[in-house]
Amino acid sequence: MKIRIAEYCGFCYGVKRAVDMAYKLAEANESSGTLGPLIHNPQLIEDLNTKGVPCRESLDEFQAGETVVFRSHGVGPDVYEAAHAKNLTILDATCPNVKAAQKKGQALAEAGYLPVIIGEKNHPEVKSIVQWAGKHAIVIECIKDIGNVPLADKYGVLIQTTFELAKFEEILAALQKERSGEYKIEKTICLATSQRQKAALKLADEVDAFVVIGGRNSANTRHLYELVAEHCKRAYHIETASELNEEMFKNCQNIGITAGASTPDRIIKEAIRVMENMESFESMLEQSLEDAHV
Ligand code: F3S
């Protein structure tokens, strides 16, 4: 049997940056914590916790002088103000792509546009963009939400960085049809998600079984799994290598592997190591993890 790794898989640039910042902080041995889980991966959150950077749910749990890490999804301006007021040191791990979307939202509102954010209402990144885009900003996540968009002369459209491009285009076309006016469209979408999806789909058609690795609370990992499962009958979503067994790969020749944007390398490598050690595998890694764009 042969293991094949998707060309793009695992940590995206913004998540890698945030994780590196948090581990550097852990090495510095300062009293600190992340505001909310740094990424959607329980194993990494636990590891950071044991290294002295625990996850805290609110700024109330921080004491003056401590360091607070803002995660890659970003936070609103009021959170920066509250952290300063508490005399906390801010380690800002907001992904630069998210930061750009926040700034564009703010600029659109200041220029008199009605900010319309196309994305998931409850996603932390979208919530942070809304806070920068001001009180009139509105989020739509499907065509039926367009009815909630107030009439305006000028609409400024932004997209959740991880939103699906095709879905965005469909919603935007319907919005422009139902709400006429001037439009300024900021394509704040990030390529990392679509690269991972395309690479997984390409591989899914060529393998007998597919393992998608990542936290069950990670939306992008779950989405990868759903896409793969549509093309490969034996698709498995695992969080760690402990969930793997030989039965999963019975009579399979080629096994595909991918991982969500919040899955650490060491978890992917561990899964590969366990699979290679299964009797039926011949340790034929077609592409090493180092060669893949992880
Ligand atoms: Fe940033 Fe894109 Fe990752 S917005 S956090 S690089 S998915």
Side-chain angles (χ1 to χ4, degrees):
M1 275 196 276
K2 203 192 283 182
I3 301 173
R4 298 175 61 189
I5 303 170
E7 188 186 0
Y8 290 91
C9 96
F11 275 0
C12 63
Y13 150 74
V15 166
K16 183 173 183 324
R17 178 175 171 272
V19 169
D20 287 349
M21 286 168 87
Y23 275 103
K24 256 194 200 135
L25 183 63
E27 276 169 26
N29 221 7
E30 284 168 21
S31 185
S32 62
T34 63
L35 184 62
L38 188 69
I39 61 171
H40 288 137
N41 186 275
Q43 291 76 27
L44 186 132
I45 302 300
E46 184 46 38
D47 190 49
L48 273 176
N49 185 30
T50 59
K51 292 190 162 79
V53 188
C55 166
R56 302 184 193 168
E57 289 310 319
S58 91
L59 287 180
D60 297 340
E61 296 170 47
F62 287 82
Q63 304 296 321
E66 288 191 313
T67 299
V68 56
V69 184
F70 292 160
R71 54 195 180 159
S72 54
H73 299 310
V75 294
D78 56 322
V79 184
Y80 285 88
E81 274 168 34
H84 284 307
K86 268 200 105 166
N87 264 331
L88 302 178
T89 302
I90 296 172
L91 186 63
D92 193 352
T94 305
C95 173
N97 295 341
V98 175
K99 197 125 202 138
Q102 293 173 339
K103 295 270 173 252
K104 282 178 177 162
Q106 187 181 28
L108 285 170
E110 283 170 3
Y113 289 89
L114 173 73
V116 180
I117 298 140
I118 299 183
E120 299 154 86
K121 291 183 185 114
N122 292 323
H123 195 285
E125 174 206 319
V126 173
K127 287 184 179 169
S128 84
I129 297 172
V130 168
Q131 283 160 18
W132 284 95
K135 60 179 190 303
H136 299 298
I138 182 156
V139 183
I140 55 175
E141 62 180 77
C142 58
I143 288 176
K144 77 170 170 40
D145 288 345
I146 293 172
N148 302 332
V149 178
L151 295 178
D153 295 329
K154 304 199 296 181
Y155 298 94
V157 179
L158 297 149
I159 327 167
Q160 177 184 340
T161 58
T162 49
F163 208 68
E164 215 180 297
L165 184 62
K167 209 167 145 196
F168 157 73
E169 281 168 348
E170 196 189 336
I171 297 171
L172 177 65
L175 175 68
Q176 288 180 308
K177 211 165 152 197
E178 288 186 37
R179 294 285 184 273
S180 57
E182 183 190 329
Y183 274 83
K184 183 159 184 184
I185 295 150
E186 300 283 10
K187 279 206 174 176
T188 45
I189 210 155
C190 163
L191 284 182
T193 308
S194 61
Q195 279 170 336
R196 275 151 190 74
Q197 290 171 357
K198 277 186 198 154
L201 275 180
K202 186 169 171 274
L203 194 54
D205 286 324
E206 298 167 10
V207 295
D208 309 303
F210 211 119
V211 180
V212 181
I213 311 165
R216 292 206 162 75
N217 58 347
S218 155
N220 80 80
T221 306
R222 281 201 314 270
H223 196 201
L224 268 179
Y225 167 74
E226 284 159 13
L227 284 175
V228 162
E230 281 172 22
H231 291 253
C232 178
K233 275 190 223 127
R234 291 167 85 170
Y236 306 103
H237 178 180
I238 63 161
E239 249 184 26
T240 64
S242 64
E243 294 165 59
L244 293 166
N245 63 64
E246 298 236 11
E247 194 57 31
M248 293 160 83
F249 310 110
K250 208 171 166 192
N251 302 325
C252 291
Q253 291 304 313
N254 289 291
I255 317 296
I257 287 191
T258 190
S262 50
T263 310
D265 272 12
R266 65 175 174 78
I267 291 183
I268 308 173
K269 283 179 180 157
E270 175 64 6
I272 293 169
R273 196 187 58 75
V274 167
M275 288 168 76
E276 283 184 303
N277 286 334
M278 286 178 180
E279 245 173 45
S280 42
F281 280 86
E282 290 166 16
S283 186
M284 289 201 294
L285 264 184
E286 186 159 279
Q287 182 183 25
S288 75
L289 196 57
E290 280 71 25
D291 293 338
H293 299 267
V294 293

